Amino acid sequence: MARVDAIVLGAGIVGTSVGLHLAKRGLAVALVDRRAPGEETSYGNAGVIEGNTIFPPAFPSDPVALLRVALKRSPEANYHLSFLPQVAPWLIAFHAASRPQRLMETVRVMRPLFARAVAEHETLLAEAGAARYLRKEGWLKVYRSDRAFRALKREFALAQEFGIPYRPLDVDAARALEPSLTPVFRHAVHWQGVASLTNPLAVTKAYAARFAALGGVVLSGNARSLRRTDEHWRVETADGPLDAGAAVVALGPFAPDVLGPLGIKLPLGIKRGYHRHYRGAGNAALSRPVVDTEIGYCLAPMEQGIRLTTGAEFAARDAAPTPVQFDRLLPAAKGLFPLGDPVDAVPWMGSRPCFPDSRPVIGRAPGQDGLWLAYGHAHWGLTLGPTTGRLLAEMMTGQTPFCDPAPYGAERFNR
Ligand SMILES: Cc1cc2nc3c(=O)[nH]c(=O)nc-3n(C[C@H](O)[C@H](O)[C@H](O)COP(=O)(O)OP(=O)(O)OC[C@H]3O[C@@H](n4cnc5c(N)ncnc54)[C@H](O)[C@@H]3O)c2cc1C
């Protein structure tokens, strides 16, 4: 029987980072996935390392915005009517977590993770020889209305308190940074400390290669085979059964497939999202990701082209793709930036794994000795993968964690 110190289930950016941090601390680790590293959700994101994030997305408080979503007119969000009864409890919990006081609590407990996000990636990128994928040009958020820009007051005050650099810009200053943008907006904010990746898939693969260079093994296997034997956790892999004293579930939106049968039922929801790559028309190009905040999409320059990513779709994880948001937002996107022909035949779809309080779960699994959890990173899995890897590895190896992990514990849902 093959045996390691720890099995990490899921080789997305989160699981790969956990495996790498454990291997850096001298543990014998196997990273098990049914696909090659980074090919699910961690492939398709906008590549932004959002260390500037202060407020998580909140349930819309503006009745007009809510009505637009309900009437399926909103480019920001879509839903499948048949899925509403299933997602209703999650939406009610999300609504409760969107109250001002709860949001402020989230802002403060998430700050230690966001504050380290860029630095933790920089360390791993350097060690993995992948620094060429890192772009330190910040990101630009554009605002079409004075009202939306004025609403940023509280965010700016907190950014100052936390020491997060930002620069409010007028249209000319924004176009000095991104000359291909059309002046259809009135304001912009340049968050200078934000970094981005030109190829998130290549980065996860580089972290997996670094993990292997440190002695870690990447194995093909089905995480659903995880079970407890006398003293160990066992998983079936293409190379045979594998035992370990510790197992980590880092399966992103797929975690409930494995945790449910073990009796661990945490309120994970799914926000599906899409991307499609486009060529820039003529010489049009971008130097950094640009967010059209009120319409709700991002244009991220990638090795593959300009990646247009959409907002949230509330639908069953495995239901067929319905990329209707592209039709709703493309006129606005083409108005902002001269998008040329699509590069991909069809849009890509992935599922953001989201807890209603917008925090991940990082720590011990309730009621299961030797089982650990690292999932539910919502809009920020790419951002927080390496930070999560470090925190969990510190907890698993008895080191002093760089921050208090209590706010990310699964126990919070039982209080
Ligand atoms: C459109 C879009 C844009 C985004 N933009 C950003 C952004 O700019 N910045 C940011 O920080 N985040 C962004 N995100 C969020 C981010 O991509 C996710 O939070 C992150 O990828 C989650 O990583 P993960 O490792 O937890 O999950 P995943 O990447 O999904 O990894 C889970 C792994 O588990 C494996 N797996 C599943 N089931 C099994 C099984 N039964 N057996 C074996 N293996 C299994 C899968 O193959 C997969 O490799 C975006 C998401 C979307 C959808």
Side-chain angles (χ1 to χ4, degrees), residues 12-14 33-34 41-42 45-46 48 221-223 378-383:
I13 185 65
V14 175
D33 202 299
R34 61 187 174 194
T41 330
S42 300
N45 52 64
V48 188
N222 188 346
H379 298 255
W380 314 283
L382 175 75
T383 300

Side-chain angles (χ1 to χ4, degrees), residues 256-319:
D257 300 353
V258 169
L259 297 177
L262 294 173
I264 300 170
K265 298 213 162 64
L266 303 179
L268 189 79
I270 291 300
K271 289 186 197 168
R272 305 203 311 182
Y274 299 86
H275 84 223
R276 197 168 188 183
H277 297 109
Y278 294 84
R279 294 186 183 87
N283 292 328
L286 292 174
S287 303
R288 56 184 65 70
V290 173
V291 183
D292 195 346
T293 316
E294 288 149 275
I295 314 280
Y297 66 91
C298 178
L299 295 170
M302 294 279 172
E303 286 184 349
Q304 297 93 332
I306 301 288
R307 181 175 289 185
L308 191 166
T309 62
T310 68
E313 183 179 62
F314 294 96
R317 185 190 71 196
D318 300 330

Side-chain angles (χ1 to χ4, degrees), residues 211-412:
F211 164 75
L214 292 176
V217 284
V218 181
L219 297 174
S220 174
N222 188 346
R224 290 186 196 227
S225 65
L226 182 73
R227 67 180 190 281
R228 185 87 196 158
T229 62
D230 297 340
E231 300 251 302
H232 291 98
W233 288 98
R234 177 170 300 168
V235 72
E236 303 298 327
T237 76
D239 294 26
L242 180 69
D243 276 8
V248 180
V249 173
L251 293 160
F254 308 94
D257 300 353
V258 169
L259 297 177
L262 294 173
I264 300 170
K265 298 213 162 64
L266 303 179
L268 189 79
I270 291 300
K271 289 186 197 168
R272 305 203 311 182
Y274 299 86
H275 84 223
R276 197 168 188 183
H277 297 109
Y278 294 84
R279 294 186 183 87
N283 292 328
L286 292 174
S287 303
R288 56 184 65 70
V290 173
V291 183
D292 195 346
T293 316
E294 288 149 275
I295 314 280
Y297 66 91
C298 178
L299 295 170
M302 294 279 172
E303 286 184 349
Q304 297 93 332
I306 301 288
R307 181 175 289 185
L308 191 166
T309 62
T310 68
E313 183 179 62
F314 294 96
R317 185 190 71 196
D318 300 330
T322 49
V324 294
Q325 282 155 286
F326 283 95
D327 294 337
R328 297 183 205 158
L329 60 78
L330 262 176
K334 287 184 170 172
L336 177 65
F337 177 85
L339 289 170
D341 293 333
V343 174
D344 322 298
V346 289
W348 169 91
M349 185 187 80
S351 296
R352 303 175 183 92
C354 305
F355 286 107
D357 61 4
S358 298
R359 304 180 204 168
V361 165
I362 305 169
R364 286 183 184 278
Q368 297 282 357
D369 261 6
L371 190 64
W372 299 81
L373 306 175
Y375 75 108
H377 290 75
H379 298 255
W380 314 283
L382 175 75
T383 300
L384 300 178
T387 310
T388 299
R390 172 171 165 187
L391 183 61
L392 194 70
E394 287 170 346
M395 292 169 78
M396 290 175 68
T397 56
Q399 288 181 293
T400 305
F402 75 85
C403 71
D404 176 12
Y408 323 121
E411 299 76 17
R412 69 186 189 265

Side-chain angles (χ1 to χ4, degrees), residues 27-199:
L27 271 69
V29 186
L31 189 53
V32 178
D33 202 299
R34 61 187 174 194
R35 303 184 66 173
E39 294 190 350
E40 281 282 354
T41 330
S42 300
Y43 159 62
N45 52 64
V48 188
I49 303 173
E50 296 182 41
N52 74 306
T53 293
I54 295 174
F55 287 108
F59 197 92
S61 55
D62 173 1
V64 178
L66 198 55
L67 189 66
R68 273 163 61 83
V69 175
L71 295 174
K72 293 184 172 261
R73 297 267 166 77
S74 167
E76 256 176 288
N78 188 43
Y79 64 94
H80 290 185
L81 193 58
S82 59
F83 189 62
L84 285 187
Q86 251 174 287
V87 77
W90 188 93
L91 286 174
I92 292 166
F94 181 53
H95 184 262
S98 298
R99 289 194 204 108
Q101 194 191 337
R102 294 275 308 275
L103 277 184
M104 271 317 296
E105 194 188 320
T106 301
V107 165
R108 300 219 175 259
V109 302
M110 288 299 288
R111 190 74 316 252
L113 300 185
F114 284 119
R116 291 222 54 79
V118 174
E120 293 296 334
H121 262 291
E122 279 188 293
T123 302
L124 296 192
L125 286 164
E127 291 173 6
R132 65 186 176 283
Y133 298 114
L134 185 70
R135 190 174 35 204
K136 294 182 77 175
E137 301 289 344
W139 69 338
L140 194 67
K141 293 191 171 184
V142 303
Y143 296 84
R144 293 177 184 240
S145 73
D146 294 340
R147 186 168 159 255
F149 184 69
R150 275 199 305 267
L152 295 173
K153 238 186 192 165
R154 213 157 54 115
E155 194 171 348
F156 287 162
L158 284 165
Q160 279 167 26
E161 179 189 332
F162 297 142
I164 302 171
Y166 67 93
R167 240 171 10 125
L169 303 176
D170 62 17
V171 175
D172 288 344
R175 294 185 71 225
L177 286 179
E178 295 292 356
S180 296
L181 294 182
T182 314
V184 291
F185 56 96
R186 293 179 57 79
H187 307 274
V189 182
H190 183 207
W191 294 91
Q192 298 128 292
V194 169
S196 57
L197 299 176
T198 55
N199 190 334

